[in-house]
Amino acid sequence: MNEYKLIAPCHFGLEAVLKKEIYDLGYDIFQVEDGKVTFLGDEEAICRANVFLRTTERIMIQVGRFHAYSFDELFEKTKALDWERFIPQNGKFWVTKASSIKSKLFSSSDIQRIMKKAIVEKLKSEYSVEWFSEDGAEYPIRVFIHKDEVIVALDTSGESLHRRGYRHLTSKAPITETLAAALIMLTPWKKDRILVDPFCGSGTFPIEAAMMAANIAPGMNREFKAENWTNIIPKKCWYEAVNEANDLVEDDIEVDIQGYDADGEIIKAARKNAAEAGVAELIHFQQREVSKLSHPKKYGFLITNPPYGERLEEKKALSELYKTIGERYRSLDSWSAYIITSYENAEQDMQIKADKNRKIYNGMLKTYFYQFMGSKPPKRNQ
């Protein structure tokens, strides 16, 4: 087995959640930076990370890391990397994405073109050929340049890992599966506690919570680009990772997870998504306005992504909506609430001061994760 530096990107502000996930999976952290965690692992780690990690967008193998201040330097240093270690003679390879921030090289299309040319020149020399058929497995390459430092990586995942495979139907402003999972992990919720999402939309928060409760690995029912990289990863590593995931599923759990939405058609979509995820029996979905929110039991959790302007015709309606959220939350006995929103007057209109307020970037949108801590339930006698 070989050791690689594996790069796992995540939402800005949630690096600590991903870091803990990687530790819990049994791997050593090499470096934590804004929006990504780099860890050490072998071929087996690539498979297990893709199958088990809930909060990363993809898993990439770092091919090289260097500084480049000109396109000539970018060409030469890209060419110097050990591409023959990763790409076979018939491999199909291209720079699928190049991003540049605060760097002298900023044209994405030029970066992609020059790096492709450099890789071709290196492989022509290594394989003693003048032309590549590129009719084999696909090896997408991603490049990140920040302050003139270039990170070159092979994307093992392909389609983003937030695409678990269960969400075919979505609401107008869905939260991604990876972000929903990370936010749930930031709360003290456990499967023996009540969880309610009063703005569940297509069901992402309840479904991710139910998958956690049943220990269903997020990637066990999807495909990955690197499954065809038999020159790097033996097929048995993928089979073993999926078999491990299947063995860990808990089929006999009981939970109280509920999702409400005012839109009846969206609730139907949420039920279908939950069925696709294999957790339909663990979630109660119901068409219900937030003004009707109630629960007879104590010590539950609200975890939700309410509207913050994009889904309402008039932003002035937000004030009344958040006032209602605050009223219904205060009516619940000893509950905690965790709310992600970009609406900056949320606390003011809810008339409750959050115990914590965490800034998180949802793509380019700055949002706030308001955390209202309720009383803890009494400890049970051992």
Side-chain angles (χ1 to χ4, degrees):
M1 289 287 187
N2 297 293
E3 184 176 75
Y4 303 96
K5 290 176 183 174
L6 303 176
I7 303 170
C10 63
H11 287 273
F12 283 94
L14 295 174
E15 296 84 1
V17 180
L18 175 56
K19 179 181 174 182
K20 183 179 185 303
E21 263 207 291
I22 294 168
Y23 270 138
D24 290 346
L25 204 56
Y27 301 109
D28 292 329
I29 304 298
F30 178 78
Q31 190 172 15
V32 179
E33 301 165 275
D34 287 346
K36 62 178 172 288
V37 179
T38 302
F39 63 103
L40 303 176
D42 56 13
E43 294 84 354
E44 181 184 81
I46 295 169
C47 304
R48 294 183 72 237
N50 272 295
V51 170
F52 285 101
L53 292 179
R54 299 182 188 277
T55 64
T56 185
E57 299 302 313
R58 62 187 67 251
I59 299 298
M60 298 176 287
I61 301 173
Q62 180 175 302
V63 179
R65 189 165 183 155
F66 54 81
H67 282 83
Y69 304 94
S70 68
F71 284 119
D72 285 343
E73 196 171 9
L74 178 68
F75 179 90
E76 293 300 332
K77 290 187 175 180
T78 299
K79 184 180 175 183
L81 298 176
D82 296 328
W83 290 107
E84 71 281 2
R85 180 186 177 195
F86 302 100
I87 300 175
Q89 186 170 329
N90 69 337
K92 181 179 181 180
F93 57 95
W94 70 103
V95 181
T96 183
K97 184 175 182 180
S99 64
S100 178
I101 301 172
K102 299 179 181 178
S103 300
K104 290 182 175 60
L105 306 180
F106 56 83
S107 170
S108 295
S109 59
D110 287 336
I111 292 167
Q112 290 171 292
R113 176 178 55 81
I114 287 166
M115 294 189 73
K116 168 76 175 187
K117 184 179 179 181
I119 299 165
V120 168
E121 290 301 312
K122 175 60 176 284
L123 293 180
K124 280 168 65 175
S125 173
E126 290 294 328
Y127 293 127
S128 300
V129 297
E130 288 298 317
W131 180 82
F132 295 97
S133 62
E134 294 198 57
D135 57 359
E138 297 181 343
Y139 296 79
I141 299 158
R142 288 180 173 256
V143 181
F144 309 88
I145 307 180
H146 181 238
K147 294 182 178 178
D148 301 311
E149 184 179 45
V150 183
I151 299 175
V152 187
L154 281 173
D155 177 11
T156 74
S157 304
E159 196 169 30
S160 173
L161 294 180
H162 83 263
R163 298 186 182 276
R164 318 287 205 214
Y166 67 73
R167 199 167 73 173
H168 302 294
L169 300 162
T170 64
S171 54
K172 292 179 183 177
I175 192 167
T176 66
E177 295 88 329
T178 46
L179 179 55
L183 295 178
I184 294 169
M185 290 180 182
L186 278 176
T187 79
W189 177 79
K190 296 290 184 289
K191 61 187 176 184
D192 61 343
R193 304 281 292 277
I194 304 159
L195 187 152
V196 175
D197 180 357
F199 299 94
C200 72
S202 52
T204 310
F205 271 128
I207 292 170
E208 289 295 317
M211 289 177 68
M212 290 180 197
N215 212 15
I216 297 173
M220 64 185 291
N221 294 314
R222 54 157 286 171
E223 296 178 344
F224 308 97
K225 186 67 72 178
E227 287 182 58
N228 295 316
W229 297 2
T230 52
N231 62 312
I232 300 176
I233 308 169
K235 281 282 189 182
K236 70 171 187 174
C237 290
W238 293 104
Y239 298 140
E240 288 170 354
V242 173
N243 288 338
E244 179 187 359
N246 277 309
D247 290 343
L248 292 172
V249 174
E250 298 179 29
D251 296 315
D252 56 352
I253 63 166
E254 292 185 8
V255 293
D256 187 348
I257 299 174
Q258 303 177 29
Y260 307 140
D261 201 280
D263 188 333
E265 291 303 310
I266 284 295
I267 286 296
K268 290 179 184 177
R271 290 191 181 113
K272 289 181 181 178
N273 290 340
E276 285 286 332
V279 294
E281 301 302 316
L282 300 179
I283 306 169
H284 172 69
F285 287 110
Q286 184 179 353
Q287 182 180 359
R288 183 188 288 192
E289 298 278 354
V290 69
S291 59
K292 301 292 193 298
L293 175 64
S294 64
H295 202 289
K297 294 183 180 179
K298 300 174 68 171
Y299 309 118
F301 284 74
L302 288 183
I303 304 179
T304 192
N305 173 38
Y308 30 89
E310 288 75 7
R311 292 187 289 181
L312 294 178
E313 292 182 4
E314 298 181 12
K315 284 184 178 288
K316 64 182 182 181
L318 286 176
S319 181
E320 192 63 31
L321 175 66
Y322 280 81
K323 180 182 177 183
T324 302
I325 295 172
E327 289 173 350
R328 298 319 306 155
Y329 169 57
R330 287 192 296 273
S331 74
L332 298 168
D333 190 354
S334 304
W335 278 50
S336 299
Y338 295 84
I339 299 172
I340 182 170
T341 179
S342 67
Y343 181 52
E344 296 188 351
N345 292 332
E347 289 175 293
Q348 175 183 318
D349 292 338
M350 287 178 66
Q351 299 177 24
I352 313 172
K353 178 68 176 174
D355 295 286
K356 291 184 180 180
N357 178 10
R358 191 178 188 126
K359 188 186 299 181
I360 294 169
Y361 280 87
N362 185 4
M364 298 302 293
L365 182 65
K366 182 172 70 175
T367 63
Y368 304 92
F369 191 45
Y370 294 104
Q371 303 169 55
F372 305 91
M373 315 287 194
S375 303
K376 295 181 180 179
K379 290 185 179 180
R380 297 173 182 171
N381 293 326
Q382 298 296 317

Short mmCIF file of all heavy atoms in Angstrom, two decimals, residues 310-340:
data_model
loop_
_atom_site.label_atom_id
_atom_site.label_comp_id
_atom_site.label_asym_id
_atom_site.label_seq_id
_atom_site.Cartn_x
_atom_site.Cartn_y
_atom_site.Cartn_z
N GLU A 310 -34.94 34.57 -0.32
CA GLU A 310 -34.94 34.01 -1.67
C GLU A 310 -36.23 33.27 -1.98
O GLU A 310 -36.63 33.18 -3.13
CB GLU A 310 -33.74 33.07 -1.85
CG GLU A 310 -32.40 33.76 -1.95
CD GLU A 310 -31.88 34.29 -0.62
OE1 GLU A 310 -32.50 33.98 0.42
OE2 GLU A 310 -30.88 35.00 -0.62
N ARG A 311 -36.87 32.71 -0.97
CA ARG A 311 -38.06 31.91 -1.23
C ARG A 311 -39.36 32.66 -0.94
O ARG A 311 -40.43 32.11 -1.01
CB ARG A 311 -38.01 30.62 -0.39
CG ARG A 311 -36.92 29.67 -0.84
CD ARG A 311 -36.99 28.35 -0.13
NE ARG A 311 -36.60 28.47 1.27
CZ ARG A 311 -36.56 27.45 2.12
NH1 ARG A 311 -36.92 26.26 1.72
NH2 ARG A 311 -36.19 27.63 3.37
N LEU A 312 -39.27 33.92 -0.56
CA LEU A 312 -40.47 34.72 -0.28
C LEU A 312 -40.57 35.85 -1.28
O LEU A 312 -39.56 36.44 -1.67
CB LEU A 312 -40.42 35.28 1.14
CG LEU A 312 -40.49 34.27 2.28
CD1 LEU A 312 -40.38 34.99 3.60
CD2 LEU A 312 -41.75 33.46 2.22
N GLU A 313 -41.79 36.16 -1.71
CA GLU A 313 -41.98 37.22 -2.70
C GLU A 313 -41.57 38.58 -2.15
O GLU A 313 -41.04 39.41 -2.85
CB GLU A 313 -43.44 37.25 -3.16
CG GLU A 313 -43.83 36.02 -3.96
CD GLU A 313 -45.26 36.09 -4.44
OE1 GLU A 313 -45.92 37.14 -4.21
OE2 GLU A 313 -45.71 35.12 -5.04
N GLU A 314 -41.80 38.77 -0.86
CA GLU A 314 -41.46 40.06 -0.27
C GLU A 314 -40.65 39.84 1.00
O GLU A 314 -41.05 39.11 1.89
CB GLU A 314 -42.74 40.84 0.08
CG GLU A 314 -43.59 41.18 -1.14
CD GLU A 314 -44.82 41.96 -0.75
OE1 GLU A 314 -44.88 42.43 0.40
OE2 GLU A 314 -45.72 42.11 -1.59
N LYS A 315 -39.47 40.47 1.05
CA LYS A 315 -38.62 40.30 2.22
C LYS A 315 -39.27 40.83 3.49
O LYS A 315 -38.93 40.41 4.59
CB LYS A 315 -37.27 41.00 1.99
CG LYS A 315 -36.34 40.24 1.06
CD LYS A 315 -35.00 40.93 0.96
CE LYS A 315 -34.04 40.16 0.08
NZ LYS A 315 -33.54 38.93 0.70
N LYS A 316 -40.23 41.77 3.35
CA LYS A 316 -40.87 42.32 4.54
C LYS A 316 -41.66 41.26 5.30
O LYS A 316 -41.95 41.43 6.48
CB LYS A 316 -41.78 43.50 4.17
CG LYS A 316 -42.97 43.13 3.29
CD LYS A 316 -43.77 44.37 2.95
CE LYS A 316 -45.00 44.03 2.10
NZ LYS A 316 -45.77 45.25 1.75
N ALA A 317 -41.99 40.15 4.63
CA ALA A 317 -42.71 39.07 5.30
C ALA A 317 -41.81 38.31 6.27
O ALA A 317 -42.30 37.57 7.13
CB ALA A 317 -43.31 38.12 4.27
N LEU A 318 -40.50 38.49 6.13
CA LEU A 318 -39.57 37.74 6.98
C LEU A 318 -39.73 38.09 8.45
O LEU A 318 -39.64 37.21 9.32
CB LEU A 318 -38.12 38.01 6.55
CG LEU A 318 -37.66 37.34 5.25
CD1 LEU A 318 -36.25 37.78 4.93
CD2 LEU A 318 -37.74 35.84 5.36
N SER A 319 -39.92 39.36 8.77
CA SER A 319 -40.01 39.78 10.16
C SER A 319 -41.12 39.03 10.89
O SER A 319 -40.92 38.51 11.99
CB SER A 319 -40.23 41.29 10.24
OG SER A 319 -40.30 41.70 11.60
N GLU A 320 -42.28 38.96 10.26
CA GLU A 320 -43.41 38.27 10.87
C GLU A 320 -43.15 36.77 10.98
O GLU A 320 -43.52 36.12 11.97
CB GLU A 320 -44.68 38.51 10.04
CG GLU A 320 -45.97 38.08 10.74
CD GLU A 320 -46.24 38.87 12.02
OE1 GLU A 320 -45.86 40.05 12.09
OE2 GLU A 320 -46.84 38.28 12.96
N LEU A 321 -42.48 36.21 9.96
CA LEU A 321 -42.18 34.78 9.99
C LEU A 321 -41.26 34.43 11.16
O LEU A 321 -41.52 33.48 11.91
CB LEU A 321 -41.51 34.37 8.67
CG LEU A 321 -41.02 32.92 8.60
CD1 LEU A 321 -42.17 31.95 8.65
CD2 LEU A 321 -40.18 32.70 7.35
N TYR A 322 -40.19 35.21 11.34
CA TYR A 322 -39.24 34.91 12.42
C TYR A 322 -39.85 35.21 13.79
O TYR A 322 -39.49 34.57 14.78
CB TYR A 322 -37.93 35.66 12.19
CG TYR A 322 -37.04 34.95 11.18
CD1 TYR A 322 -37.26 35.09 9.82
CD2 TYR A 322 -36.03 34.11 11.60
CE1 TYR A 322 -36.47 34.44 8.89
CE2 TYR A 322 -35.23 33.44 10.68
CZ TYR A 322 -35.47 33.61 9.32
OH TYR A 322 -34.69 32.93 8.41
N LYS A 323 -40.77 36.14 13.84
CA LYS A 323 -41.51 36.38 15.09
C LYS A 323 -42.30 35.13 15.46
O LYS A 323 -42.32 34.70 16.63
CB LYS A 323 -42.44 37.58 14.93
CG LYS A 323 -43.25 37.89 16.18
CD LYS A 323 -44.19 39.07 15.94
CE LYS A 323 -45.07 39.34 17.18
NZ LYS A 323 -46.04 40.44 16.93
N THR A 324 -42.93 34.51 14.47
CA THR A 324 -43.69 33.28 14.70
C THR A 324 -42.78 32.14 15.12
O THR A 324 -43.11 31.36 16.03
CB THR A 324 -44.46 32.88 13.43
OG1 THR A 324 -45.33 33.96 13.04
CG2 THR A 324 -45.29 31.63 13.65
N ILE A 325 -41.62 32.03 14.47
CA ILE A 325 -40.65 30.98 14.86
C ILE A 325 -40.28 31.14 16.33
O ILE A 325 -40.25 30.16 17.09
CB ILE A 325 -39.39 31.05 13.98
CG1 ILE A 325 -39.73 30.73 12.52
CG2 ILE A 325 -38.32 30.09 14.50
CD1 ILE A 325 -38.57 30.98 11.55
N GLY A 326 -40.01 32.39 16.74
CA GLY A 326 -39.65 32.64 18.14
C GLY A 326 -40.78 32.28 19.09
O GLY A 326 -40.54 31.66 20.14
N GLU A 327 -42.00 32.63 18.74
CA GLU A 327 -43.15 32.32 19.60
C GLU A 327 -43.34 30.82 19.75
O GLU A 327 -43.56 30.32 20.86
CB GLU A 327 -44.42 32.94 19.01
CG GLU A 327 -44.47 34.46 19.10
CD GLU A 327 -45.65 35.04 18.34
OE1 GLU A 327 -46.32 34.27 17.59
OE2 GLU A 327 -45.90 36.27 18.47
N ARG A 328 -43.26 30.09 18.64
CA ARG A 328 -43.47 28.64 18.71
C ARG A 328 -42.31 27.95 19.44
O ARG A 328 -42.52 26.98 20.17
CB ARG A 328 -43.62 28.05 17.31
CG ARG A 328 -44.82 28.57 16.50
CD ARG A 328 -46.09 28.72 17.33
NE ARG A 328 -46.44 27.49 18.04
CZ ARG A 328 -47.16 27.45 19.15
NH1 ARG A 328 -47.57 28.58 19.72
NH2 ARG A 328 -47.46 26.31 19.71
N TYR A 329 -41.10 28.45 19.26
CA TYR A 329 -39.97 27.86 19.96
C TYR A 329 -40.11 28.04 21.47
O TYR A 329 -39.90 27.10 22.25
CB TYR A 329 -38.65 28.46 19.48
CG TYR A 329 -37.47 28.07 20.34
CD1 TYR A 329 -37.15 26.73 20.55
CD2 TYR A 329 -36.67 29.03 20.95
CE1 TYR A 329 -36.08 26.36 21.35
CE2 TYR A 329 -35.60 28.68 21.75
CZ TYR A 329 -35.31 27.33 21.95
OH TYR A 329 -34.26 26.98 22.75
N ARG A 330 -40.52 29.23 21.90
CA ARG A 330 -40.68 29.48 23.33
C ARG A 330 -41.79 28.63 23.94
O ARG A 330 -41.79 28.38 25.15
CB ARG A 330 -40.96 30.97 23.58
CG ARG A 330 -39.74 31.87 23.39
CD ARG A 330 -39.99 33.27 23.93
NE ARG A 330 -41.05 33.95 23.21
CZ ARG A 330 -40.86 34.65 22.09
NH1 ARG A 330 -39.64 34.76 21.58
NH2 ARG A 330 -41.87 35.25 21.50
N SER A 331 -42.72 28.16 23.13
CA SER A 331 -43.82 27.33 23.64
C SER A 331 -43.39 25.89 23.91
O SER A 331 -44.09 25.14 24.58
CB SER A 331 -44.99 27.32 22.65
OG SER A 331 -44.69 26.52 21.51
N LEU A 332 -42.23 25.50 23.37
CA LEU A 332 -41.73 24.14 23.57
C LEU A 332 -40.96 24.07 24.88
O LEU A 332 -40.19 24.98 25.21
CB LEU A 332 -40.81 23.75 22.40
CG LEU A 332 -41.50 23.74 21.01
CD1 LEU A 332 -40.45 23.64 19.91
CD2 LEU A 332 -42.49 22.59 20.92
N ASP A 333 -41.14 23.00 25.60
CA ASP A 333 -40.59 22.87 26.95
C ASP A 333 -39.16 22.35 26.93
O ASP A 333 -38.91 21.21 26.57
CB ASP A 333 -41.48 21.92 27.76
CG ASP A 333 -41.14 21.91 29.26
OD1 ASP A 333 -40.14 22.55 29.65
OD2 ASP A 333 -41.87 21.25 30.02
N SER A 334 -38.21 23.22 27.28
CA SER A 334 -36.80 22.84 27.43
C SER A 334 -36.17 22.35 26.13
O SER A 334 -35.29 21.49 26.14
CB SER A 334 -36.65 21.76 28.52
OG SER A 334 -37.19 22.20 29.74
N TRP A 335 -36.59 22.92 25.02
CA TRP A 335 -36.02 22.53 23.73
C TRP A 335 -34.81 23.39 23.38
O TRP A 335 -34.64 24.49 23.90
CB TRP A 335 -37.09 22.66 22.64
CG TRP A 335 -38.03 21.49 22.57
CD1 TRP A 335 -38.71 20.92 23.60
CD2 TRP A 335 -38.40 20.76 21.39
NE1 TRP A 335 -39.47 19.87 23.16
CE2 TRP A 335 -39.31 19.76 21.80
CE3 TRP A 335 -38.07 20.86 20.04
CZ2 TRP A 335 -39.88 18.86 20.90
CZ3 TRP A 335 -38.63 19.97 19.14
CH2 TRP A 335 -39.52 18.97 19.57
N SER A 336 -34.00 22.87 22.44
CA SER A 336 -32.91 23.62 21.85
C SER A 336 -33.25 23.89 20.39
O SER A 336 -33.98 23.12 19.76
CB SER A 336 -31.59 22.84 21.92
OG SER A 336 -31.23 22.57 23.27
N ALA A 337 -32.73 24.99 19.84
CA ALA A 337 -32.99 25.32 18.44
C ALA A 337 -31.69 25.69 17.75
O ALA A 337 -30.86 26.42 18.30
CB ALA A 337 -33.99 26.47 18.34
N TYR A 338 -31.53 25.18 16.55
CA TYR A 338 -30.35 25.45 15.74
C TYR A 338 -30.84 25.88 14.36
O TYR A 338 -31.46 25.10 13.63
CB TYR A 338 -29.46 24.21 15.65
CG TYR A 338 -28.89 23.83 17.00
CD1 TYR A 338 -29.64 23.06 17.90
CD2 TYR A 338 -27.63 24.26 17.39
CE1 TYR A 338 -29.13 22.74 19.15
CE2 TYR A 338 -27.11 23.94 18.64
CZ TYR A 338 -27.87 23.19 19.51
OH TYR A 338 -27.37 22.87 20.75
N ILE A 339 -30.58 27.13 14.01
CA ILE A 339 -31.18 27.73 12.82
C ILE A 339 -30.10 28.34 11.94
O ILE A 339 -29.32 29.18 12.40
CB ILE A 339 -32.19 28.83 13.22
CG1 ILE A 339 -33.33 28.21 14.06
CG2 ILE A 339 -32.75 29.54 12.00
CD1 ILE A 339 -34.27 29.24 14.66
N ILE A 340 -30.05 27.92 10.68
CA ILE A 340 -29.12 28.53 9.73
C ILE A 340 -29.90 29.48 8.82
O ILE A 340 -30.94 29.12 8.26
CB ILE A 340 -28.35 27.47 8.90
CG1 ILE A 340 -27.36 28.18 7.96
CG2 ILE A 340 -29.28 26.53 8.14
CD1 ILE A 340 -26.38 27.26 7.27
#
